[in-house]
Amino acid sequence: MNSSESSPVNADIDPANLPCHIAIIMDGNGRWAKKRILNRIEGHKKGADVVRLIVRTCREIGISILTLYAFSTENWQRPKIEVAALMSLLKNFLESEQKEMLDNNIRLNAIGQIEKLPEDVQHVLHKSMTLTKKNNGLMLNLALSYGGRAEIVRMVREIATKTKEGKIDPDLITPELVSDFLYTKGMPDPDLLIRTSGEMRISNFLLWQIAYTEIFVTKTLWPDFGKQEFLQILKHYQRRERRFGKV
Ligand code: IPE
Ligand code: IPE
Ligand code: MG
């Protein structure tokens, strides 16, 4: 960590106008490693350190929910060795952060096809979620084997089943009801979505939830992302006029 990374929270940020829910597509680990002629896995390792830093920053400034896209449904198609390394890093991360989460009132939650993760990862994940479930500070929401389309299919299936059973009246299906059948049930939609490493796409992330989210794309690769740039994006966010379709 350099000195700028450990500097106090920036005074230019208006605490009354903070995004409640921030979502991040953490992209660019592979390119970061490639630039240094390193293995992609080294990029993922460095990326995990940045996750720690951004979680800490969100807690310090009082963000309610931070949703991190850590592994997509499509990422299973990467080489087996990379998938295994990512799962092992995830397990290490969860184990090493348990104390920090407990000490700092952080609640861990996961969204996605958790049942598809290796059993040892599921085990530490469930343990951390159980241990932190009464915490009411920052909610760290990890998207793991997450895909927006798969989430929507799951929601349609559940609503269709309940409709068939006579438990849901089709005339009473509203956006609010749909939201209640998504992994993010009970959470406000993201106010801010950040994507690192410059790609102008959503890559199957939170398709329903980002209807009115403010989007920021930075060219910085995720392992190079840091507190100062994050705070800078928050400042930009505070200057945006959110209209929600009105005048
Ligand atoms: C993001 O970095 C991490 C995951 C998707 C798991 P990438 O691995 O996608 O890095 P690039 O896009 O190849 O640089
Ligand atoms: C999105 O990044 C998924 C995560 C950050 C976990 P990808 O690297 O998988 O997305 P694409 O391939 O650039 O769309
Ligand atoms: Mg990528």
Side-chain angles (χ1 to χ4, degrees), residues 26-32 40 44 69-72 75 78 82 86 195 197 199 201 221-222:
M26 309 180 290
D27 196 19
N29 294 350
R31 274 162 281 178
W32 182 90
R40 294 177 57 84
H44 296 314
Y69 204 7
F71 194 86
S72 75
N75 289 151
R78 292 189 178 196
E82 182 171 346
L86 283 166
R195 181 168 186 146
S197 89
E199 240 62 76
R201 56 177 174 254
L221 305 173
W222 178 252

Side-chain angles (χ1 to χ4, degrees), residues 60-246:
E60 281 169 10
I61 58 182
I63 300 299
S64 297
I65 308 176
L66 173 66
T67 299
L68 298 177
Y69 204 7
F71 194 86
S72 75
T73 47
E74 289 73 27
N75 289 151
W76 291 113
Q77 294 161 54
R78 292 189 178 196
K80 262 204 175 101
I81 188 157
E82 182 171 346
V83 172
L86 283 166
M87 291 301 145
S88 151
L89 274 172
L90 172 61
K91 191 179 162 200
N92 284 346
F93 175 84
L94 292 169
E95 281 168 346
S96 66
E97 294 318 285
Q98 222 165 57
K99 187 174 182 301
E100 169 125 5
M101 289 192 282
L102 285 171
D103 290 348
N104 293 297
N105 199 19
I106 296 173
R107 178 175 165 200
L108 181 73
N109 187 61
I111 59 171
Q113 306 162 329
I114 302 313
E115 66 288 350
K116 293 208 174 153
L117 301 173
E119 264 179 31
D120 57 338
V121 176
Q122 285 190 49
H123 180 78
V124 274
L125 186 62
H126 284 299
K127 189 172 164 209
S128 297
M129 287 197 292
T130 308
L131 281 172
T132 62
K133 81 169 179 229
K134 293 221 170 78
N135 289 350
N136 59 6
L138 172 70
M139 179 195 272
L140 172 59
N141 197 28
L142 295 182
L144 302 168
S145 189
Y146 174 88
R149 286 190 168 178
E151 179 182 41
I152 288 170
V153 168
R154 177 178 170 271
M155 169 274 292
V156 171
R157 245 186 224 141
E158 285 186 21
I159 293 182
T161 305
K162 288 218 155 67
T163 305
K164 205 166 113 190
E165 293 168 350
K167 289 178 184 154
I168 289 176
D169 175 352
D171 291 335
L172 299 180
I173 298 175
T174 58
E176 290 73 24
L177 183 104
V178 167
S179 293
D180 277 349
F181 281 84
L182 299 176
Y183 291 122
T184 48
K185 175 180 171 26
M187 298 177 206
D189 289 337
D191 302 290
L192 168 62
L193 170 70
I194 300 170
R195 181 168 186 146
T196 58
S197 89
E199 240 62 76
M200 301 297 279
R201 56 177 174 254
I202 296 300
S203 300
N204 204 12
F205 193 38
L206 302 175
L207 298 180
W208 169 274
Q209 297 89 339
I210 59 168
Y212 267 102
T213 300
E214 294 295 326
I215 301 177
F216 283 78
V217 175
T218 167
K219 286 212 167 83
T220 306
L221 305 173
W222 178 252
D224 290 327
F225 194 67
K227 183 170 176 176
Q228 291 313 317
E229 185 169 6
F230 182 64
L231 295 176
Q232 210 56 46
I233 292 175
L234 288 182
K235 268 195 262 173
H236 281 291
Y237 165 85
Q238 295 194 326
R239 286 201 291 268
R240 288 224 184 147
E241 185 195 358
R242 302 187 73 189
R243 289 202 226 170
F244 301 97
K246 300 166 205 162

